[in-house]
Structures are given as structure tokens and as C-alpha cells.
Amino acid sequence: MLQSKSFVRKTKQGKVVKVVREHYLRDDIYCGATFCKVCDVSGARLTPDASNIIVVDTNVVLHQIDLLENPAIDYVVVLSVVLDEVKNKNISVYNRLRAICSNSLRKFFVFSNEYHKDTYVKALAGETPNDRNDRAIRVAAQWYQNHLGSSSCVLLITNDRENKRKAIDEGISAETVESYVKSLGKPELLDLVVQPQSGDVNMEEVEDLRPSKRKVIYIEHKPMSEITSGLLRGILHQGKLRVNRYNPFEAYVGSESIGDEIVIYGRSNMNRAFDGDIVAVEILPREQWQEEKSLAIAEEEDEEEDVHLAPSSADDAPRVIDAKQGSEGNTVPARPSGRVVGVIKRNWHSYCGSLDPMPMPAGNAGVAHALFVSKDRRIPKIRIQTRQLGNLLDKRIIVSVDSWDCVSRYPSGHYVRTIGEIGDKETETEVVLIENDIDARPFTSQVLACLPPLPWSVSSEDLANPIRQDLRHLRVFSVDPPGCKDIDDALHCTALPNGNFEVGVHIADVTNFVYPGTPLDDEASQRGTSVYLVDRRIDMLPKPLTEDICSLRNEVERLAFSVIWEMTPEADIISTRFTKSVIKSSAALSYVEAQARMDDSRLMDPVTADLRNMNTLAKIMRHRRIDRGALTLASAEVKFQIDTETHDPLDIGMYQIREANQMVEEFMLAANISVGEQILKHFPLCSLLRRHPSPTKEMLEPLLRTAAAIGIDLDVTSSKTLADSLDQAVGDDPYFNKLIRILTTRCMTQAVYFCSGDLTPPEFHHYGLAAALYTHFTSPIRRYADVIVHRLLAASLGINKLPDIFQDGTRLTSIADNLNYRHRNAQMASRASVELHTLIYFKKRPTDTEARIVKIRSNGFIVFVPKYGIEGPVYLTTRADKGGEWIVDEHQQKVKKTDGSVSYSVLQTVKIHMEVVEPQPNRPKLQLTVI
Amino acid sequence: MEYVTPEGFRLDGRRPMEMRQLRAEIGVVSRADGSAVFEMGNTKVIAAVYGPREVKNRSEQLNDQALVRCEYSMANFSTGDRRRKHKGDRRSTEISLVIRQTMEACILTHLMPRSQIDIFVQVLQADGGTRSACINAATLALADAGIPMSDLVTSCSAGYLNNTPLLDLNYVEDSAGGPDVTVGILPKLDKVTLLQMDAKLPMNILENVMQLATEGCKAVANYIREVLLNNTKQLEFRRGV
Ligand SMILES: [Zn+2]
């Protein structure tokens, strides 16, 4: 037990106090070579078949992590001194390195050199920590060579010349990354090697090749000390840079110090900052605020807009540039604009995309410079060097950013890996998943081990459990989209003798199977939500749970968590109770079936009668909700019919919403609200709720402008007045009202999850539903928020203890943030998947259809195609002769020919032709032209 | 924060089940009837025992047993910031009480009625686990003073960080905010006389952590016995036996 070794004290100088720490050195740390005669080999990773055993230094890990992740690199000893340094400098690289080390397929071994009695080095007087660590690495490399003897060759990899020279002096073999990779004889690996920073030989060659690029393009970043003092004195402002998804030349920095968003226009003002970077910003003088704007528009038109899926909320939609305000010149700009003067923390990671098409260069030893274009438009083009250009041009690839200095227009990076061919459905789907950070890997065996054994059925213990009520006698049924396998909700409605109704909402009892803190729970919490793509579904929970054990299928007994109300025929709730239950569904209906049953007056069976009763109640509830000011918003959801063989889309069309959908939705809303009230009452500080912030004037501005142009007055003072004026906005055609609603919807931001302890009750408000509070309870199979809410509800009823996590406010907030992030990504991914399938669909089917103009541009307009739910630009002129014979009337939102023969105004119906074109090889896109 | 690396090392190079280096010396204050210095790593505590002697304040005198008093303090130089430590603050009053009650449980007080035993404990250097070190030092000092005891009392702490039970937390680990379980046992009788924890811990984990701390106490007991034995041998040698 008591195993203290000879030890030395390591003294660290703190600010004022002297900190003394013990540092135990040991003799029971092993080398990790399976062929070692003296060491314990139980955890050994390094097999004798290696030609070299590699020791890497810190900078190699920090800069060449993509190379290390490649399976071609193996037999690597990772020293604990390197791990510590990497951890301090870049936590994400550290996590990636740790992931390689723990991967049993790789031969990476962590050697705790800092605790080994022979490899610990004490800092010498006057030695910098860097030098000391470099020496520690050399000492460890030397120890390995002596320890393993002639049986293998230990090679130190370092790009630091001084370190390499010292190593060779001390008799250790050492090489640079590049020369080592070259010696492996795999040229494709060389693309992964990050080129050394400028000043090195290699870079000079590049500069010589492009003398025109020598001039300084960006302003030098300020040194950190100046930034810190600038922030302190309030001259500079710190915040996270967010680039407009639809206009990469515009970005925002939310600054706490001035309490407003600072707008950054143009790449030169963004000064090499990436989306997500923490930056320091300097506010531009007021008179430059306008000027910068017009400049940004000119720049913007260089980049062509693509046809995309119509946005469903403000989060998807492009922010409007107020060109009009500028031209009128009398309005005071609302927001300050600024310029980035330094990057405090980089958010660089790897990006998915493809190379800019270019001709194959002649000569130059096969090394080519190419520009990489990310799928994510917020990311600038990235310059990479490659030896396999011909191979990469038609591929989707992943590229990492390494550096961006002020003399180059684009950042430089390196190739990481190939995903597949551009346009191939599998490849593009993987791109969608990678881009949205969605984990589509199969569940690990640890996760699957948490599942109950199959076949599962309700046991006698479940029935005997006093917390669980036996509701199998109730006539419960479910209504879902056709073919739904993960049924997480079911309903019942029984007429009571007193004339009232007992209405129940039964939700799959997922938390009965997913216990807090298990690998299954951790995985679900990370995934946050199931992701629905057009041709596949990425589950949050493993299939046996979602499609069998938890799914409330008909004619089988299932566990549920029930909300049961007693309602008057006027749909007033008299009482509410919550209970865990056992139910047996008597029918699993689709929306269409349910609707048909209700409509068919000949049917008099009990389920149909229940449906009709519920529908009557739901209509009253819905009416009441709308009276309160809930918005009936509309979005353009499309549905594909997929070929079962090829998985190609056969047909697309708008998703039709029936009364039956609205009926189910109404009861789900009611259940969510009842549960929200219950959990908030018991846990005012740690409930997970969902809120929908009221839209600001600014967000509604484009809607109001459009409405004004066609003579409609929208009152946006509250959701109630807006709802009323939306009801009155009836045009000459039936679709007009829906179109206005669609335009309204996209002005709103999305609802978000939050922890009740973080906000005050007035902020809990859900604008869209006009509800004081709201949460998610009804879909625990596919949303993790609902799992949390189930646990809260169970705890409020005294069924379970509240898991520890709920006592930790910051953890809870970070869970809510993750859920919002995952939710958002899941939506982006399904939209991207729909866009992908739309493109595939129209490839073989050029189509003529009707579209509505939603926005006027100087050289054309943006149309919305209701039938396919897409939106895109229609150009009236070629890009070469801008404007020309067309004049834009901003005020009336019209564009007309100079001779007055043709004019287009906003919301007008136009006939357009849709066709997939390939302006550049392998870059198909959908083109809209007016006919 | 990572307190245990995936390789299983703590910040100071120990493995989770290992204690810091122990060191003890008996008879360091010659004026006292018994005294000892006890070190657990960088935590260093001195204890001095006076008595049994006549009760100073007659009103406190107990007719059937000895009066045990304990005074705990921390030297001003015991922590990095060299602040002046107040004597009667809440924390030291509490620790004084804990030490007194723990020691009282093993002293055969009924053998010394109408007398008084004073235990003075001072922390010279604090690096986590001071409570345990104080009890261990007091045990040694009491033994040195030749006060009859039913058994030795030894103490050790254990914590739970990064889902791993850790024995004998040092200051850095202690200030991580995780649970810190201090256990005191009578090793020969195999009885727990002290159990303290100021955080929440699930029952099943508490058992493991407590088990670990108890193992630590036993290791401390072995060491203390060895020290006492050596000390006795030296005394014998000096007397020329
Ligand atoms: Zn070995």
C-alpha cells in the first residue's frame, strides 16, 4: 500500500505565494512494447513489427494531428509532457490525440515520462519551460533507445531545428515530419502534412511563384497585450464573430461591453477572422458606417446565390441589407459597424467541400496549389497544396486550416481525407452529416449493453409496481404519419357519466429504460435528437428501444407516462393528473385513416366516436388558443416519394396538413403545458422549458416593407394583433394568405430550450403559442429534452429521486445549450437533405411551374416555388451588364423595363422554368428562369 | 479538470490507491510528557501531550474519569499566504472537538479519575488531510506520554474525483470540491470512531470510498506501530537493557 519512491520536490512560482507540490517518481511505469523482456506487457501497444518507434514533440502534435489520425502513422510513443503541453495549448487537439491513444486499433502508447524515475528532468537554472520540456522529450527518447536496445530504432520527430540538432548531438535519431513522411513512400500522406509557417524555405518558393500576392492585404493583428489593454479601456470590444450564413461578407459580433451587435462588413474588415472566432473589434467612425454598407453589396454580387430550400424561420433566412436606408440617407443607422483588429481565440476546425475547378498544372513535380471551397458558405476559400490534384477535383474532401497571414488573400490549409465523388448521394449525405456535426455511427456495444434483453414484454413486476397504474382497459389509440414505427404518443377519450370527458395523453415511458449516467443515457444526451433525412433516420436511441420496446404499437402492452384530464364538453380542464401506466393500444392510425374515419358518417364504431369527440374538443381548444393570440404560422414543408429500389426521389409535393394532425397537435400542446406547469411548480430552479422570444421590430422589418408595398397594413405590436391582421390579409387568390403567413414565419426566430433558473418568469413566454410557459414532454423517443422532462415529472410525483445533474445549474445550462445546438443542426441537416434530393429529382425532370416573387433585386428577383418549397434567384440580366434596361423601384418593390413594357412586383405570380445545369464540371445546380 | 490521467496517475504521480509518504518522530518537545511530529507528504503536524496531571479548574473536575482537553491551531506560516490565523475561529473549534472526542474514545479515562490530559496540536504545514494528520500525531504523542489507551486511533481520508476513489487527498485534490471522507479507526478492535464527510455521495460509492479510507488507516497504524517499536527499542538501548 505505502509505495512512496524516492522523490523530489518541484517548486512552482505562483504570483505571490510559493507553491510547493510533491512529485513522486516511480519505477513501475512500463515502456509499452510487447516484446520487452523487463516490463509488464499487459497494457502494451507497441508490437515488434515496426521499423521505427516514433516519439513526437508537442508542436508536431499541435500542427499535424490530421497526419497522426491517419492509420498509416503508428508505433507512436506519446509522452505525458507532450500531452500536458497540448492540453494547455489546444484542448480540441488534446481530445483528438486522446481518442487516438484509446483506440485499440492504433498503436499509440502513452508513456508517463514525468513520473518515471529515469526520465523525469528538473528544470535547470535559467532554462525556459519550453527548453526544459524539449529536453524531457529527448531524455525520454534516449531512455527508450537504451531500454529497448538494438531490437528497435527510436526516432524523434520534430520540426524544431534546434531540438533536432541537440537530439542528434546526444545520439538520438531525429527527423522532421516531412522527411519522415517521405521515407514512408506514401505520397498521398504528404498532403496531410501541414506546411511550415512563412520564413521557411518551402514558403519562399510559394511566394516567388506568386509575386503579386506579396502585398499586404489585411491589416496586421494587434499584439495580445495591446488588445487586453484596449479591452480594459473600452476602446476595443470582445465577442464571438458570427458570419451571416447567406452573405459571407457580413458578420456580427455580439458585444457585452456595448450591449449591442457590431456589424462587420466585408472580408477586409473581418480581417481573417472565421465564424466562431473570439475576436477583438474596433468601432469604425460613425461617418464610415454607411459607406461600408454599399461596398458590401457590391462585393456580395460577386458571389452568386444558389437555389435553396425556402427558409422556415429567421434563423435560416438571410439577414437583409438595408440598401434602401442608405440611399435615402436621412435615417440614422441602427447598429455600429466595426473592424476586427485581433483574434483572441480561433475556432478553426476541418471543413467539408470541394476544390475550385482548375486546369491541371504542368510540371512542378506534381505539387499543385488549389483553392478549396467549403460547403459552408461562411468559410472563405482555403488554399491547399496537393500532389493528387487530378484525383481530388471531382471529390468531396475535408480540409483543415493551418494559418492565415496578412499577405495572403486566402488562408492556407491542408488536405485531410476524401469523402467520395461529388453529386453521389451517399457522399453528399455524409457531407450533410459532417457539416452539421451529426454522429451517425452505429451505437457502441457499451450503449447496446444497456438495453433490456429482447423479446421484451410487460412483466408481472411492472404490473404489480404501485407507481404504475393499469390502464389496459382503456380504449387507447395512436395517430401518426403513415408508416411510423417509433410511436411515442397515444390518446384516449372516454365519455364520463356526468357529461364530461376523460382525455388521456400517453407517452412512451422511455426513462424506464434509459437510466441517468449510463452509456446509453450519455449517448442520447450527446445526440440530443433523432435526425430525419429524406432517405434515412439517425436515431437518438437504439432501434430496439425506438421501434419495439418503447413504441406504443397496437395490440401490445406497453409502459407509458400518462397525462389525464377531466374536461367539460367546452374543453375546460377540471382536473389534471399524471401517472406512470401500462396501456394496450387498440389502433395505430395514420393521419389519413383517422381523417377518413371522422369524415365517413356511416362509421359508428367506438374508436371513431372517440376521434370525433376529441376533434370537437381540439377545435375548441385551438380556437381558444388562437383567440389568445397564438399564431397560425405556415411553413412550406415538402414530402418526397422515394423509389424503394434506387432510393431516388420519384415525386415531391407539399406536405398536407389535415384536421387530424391539428387534433393530435392540440392535445400534445396541452400535455406539454400541463407538464411544464407541474415541473416548474416543484422545481422552479432546474426545470427544462422551451421559450419563443417575441420578434423584434428589426426582424419584422422586411415583412412590413413587403406588406406595405402591396398595401397591407400589419400590426405587430403583439402576437394577438399580428394574428388578427394576418387573418385580414386576404388577397385575390386563395394562396395569398398562406404566402403572407409563410413570410411571417420566416421572420421569427426559433423556440429554444432553457433552464428555468437562468431566466425570470416573464422571459419564459412562448410567443408563437401565446403560452406563458411551455416544455417538451411528448416525444422522448426522439428528443432528449423530453427525457429530461420525464425525469423531472417523475421526481415531482415522488416516483424517482431527481438525478444529481439537476443540482448543477451550469451543467443543466450546458445541456440545454447542447440540445439547442443539436436541434438546430438536425433541422439544417434535414433541410440540406431535402435540397439534395430536390436537385436529384430535377436532374432528370426539367419543369415549368408557377412561382411567387418574394424579394426584388437590382438585376432580378427572388422567387418562392410553393409546390416544391424552394426559393432562388431569377436573373433578368446577365451579370456582365448590371442593371442596364431594368429599373428597381425600392419603395413599391418593383422592377421594370426602362421602356415600361414589362414589370415585376413583389408577391406577383410568375411562370418559371426549372432546370439543373452544370456551369462547371461536377458542380450541378438548379437554375430558375422566367418564361 | 483531470485529476486522474487515463494512465491512472494523479497530479503528483501517485496511483489512486496510494498514500503520500509518511514520516513520524517521537519526543520532539522535551518539556511535554509526550510529543510527536507526523507528516503525510507535505502536511506536517506537531502534537504535545501534558498529563495526566491535576485539574487546574476545580469546577471542571470529574470524579470518575480523567478530563481530556484539546487545542488545535494552525501556524501562521502553515499555508502559502502566511495570513494570521485566529485561534478561536469556527473551524479550529470544530477540529479541536473532533480530535478530543476521537482521542477520548480510546483513552482509558476511568483509570485516571480527577486528573486532566491536555493535547495540543498545531499544523506546521498544510497540504490537505490535516485532520487525519492531527489525529495520527495525537495518537503518537499520547503513546509517548505513556497514557493508557485501549488501542491506537489512526485516521486517513479518501475522496472521489473523476469517478475514481482516491486515497489521501492532497490540497489540490481536496480543493477540487469533491467529497472528502475522513475516517478514524481503532485498528486492533476494527472499529470506526470517526467518520466525516461534507458533500453528497451516492451510497454505493460512499461504501467504496470509506473502505479505501479504512485501508489507509490500517496502513497508517502499521507505520505507527513500527515507529513506536523502534522508539521502544531505542529507549531499551539507552537504558542499557
Ligand atoms: Zn520495457
Side-chain angles (χ1 to χ4, degrees), chain B residues 5-238:
Chain B
T5 67
E7 288 71 49
F9 291 110
R10 292 156 70 172
L11 297 171
D12 57 4
R14 284 183 290 157
R15 291 191 195 270
M17 312 286 229
E18 287 173 358
M19 254 201 290
R20 291 175 284 178
Q21 177 149 309
L22 298 179
R23 203 184 75 82
E25 200 181 333
I26 292 179
V28 288
V29 182
S30 45
R31 185 175 285 171
D33 296 316
S35 64
V37 165
F38 197 85
E39 285 177 38
M40 300 173 89
N42 276 338
T43 296
K44 189 171 191 172
V45 172
I46 188 167
V49 169
Y50 294 87
R53 55 187 180 182
E54 217 174 314
V55 181
K56 277 186 181 152
N57 186 348
R58 279 301 167 103
S59 63
E60 287 179 352
Q61 178 176 310
L62 303 168
N63 285 324
D64 53 346
Q65 61 178 52
L67 172 70
V68 179
R69 290 163 54 118
C70 175
E71 194 178 303
Y72 161 93
S73 62
M74 266 177 106
N76 293 341
F77 51 82
S78 61
T79 55
D81 54 0
R82 290 189 296 282
R83 250 182 319 123
R84 169 150 298 182
K85 307 284 186 301
H86 295 289
K87 246 190 177 171
D89 68 354
R90 204 179 272 260
R91 183 172 177 275
S92 42
T93 316
E94 186 246 7
I95 298 184
S96 303
L97 189 71
V98 168
I99 299 171
R100 185 176 69 90
Q101 285 174 345
T102 314
M103 302 326 293
E104 218 171 15
C106 72
I107 298 173
L108 300 172
T109 48
H110 61 277
L111 297 179
M112 301 161 279
R114 289 182 295 279
S115 67
Q116 167 176 349
I117 299 166
D118 288 295
I119 308 169
F120 295 92
V121 195
Q122 187 168 41
V123 177
L124 300 178
Q125 195 165 278
D127 186 23
T130 48
R131 221 167 274 236
S132 299
C134 287
I135 290 170
N136 297 333
T139 301
L140 268 176
L142 284 170
D144 184 38
I147 290 175
M149 292 194 283
S150 53
D151 194 355
L152 297 168
V153 202
T154 59
S155 170
C156 189
S157 71
Y160 188 73
L161 292 170
N162 298 145
N163 299 315
T164 321
L166 301 178
L167 185 61
D168 189 20
L169 303 185
N170 66 22
Y171 177 73
V172 184
E173 292 165 333
D174 196 20
S175 37
D180 178 10
V181 182
T182 302
V183 175
I185 63 161
L186 302 173
K188 227 172 208 164
L189 305 175
D190 208 11
K191 274 187 181 160
V192 173
T193 58
L194 168 70
L195 178 59
Q196 275 193 316
M197 176 172 71
D198 41 14
K200 287 184 183 169
L201 202 58
M203 276 308 282
N204 51 337
I205 296 173
L206 173 71
E207 260 165 48
N208 289 340
V209 175
M210 214 181 115
Q211 185 62 40
L212 184 63
T214 312
E215 292 297 320
C217 294
K218 288 181 182 157
V220 173
N222 287 339
Y223 179 72
I224 285 183
R225 277 200 203 101
E226 209 177 286
V227 170
L228 287 173
L229 196 66
N230 280 339
N231 188 51
T232 315
K233 277 181 185 156
Q234 271 186 14
L235 287 177
E236 280 179 337
F237 174 73
R238 263 185 239 152

Side-chain angles (χ1 to χ4, degrees), chain A residues 1 4 22 24 26 98 115, chain B residues 7 12-13 17-18 21 41:
Chain A
M1 194 74 225
S4 75
E22 283 179 298
Y24 290 86
R26 0 185 16 117
R98 272 291 182 198
Y115 301 129
Chain B
E7 288 71 49
D12 57 4
M17 312 286 229
E18 287 173 358
Q21 177 149 309

Side-chain angles (χ1 to χ4, degrees), chain A residues 117-128:
Chain A
K117 67 178 172 38
D118 298 327
T119 56
Y120 175 76
V121 299
K122 222 173 164 171
L124 302 173
E127 194 176 35
T128 66

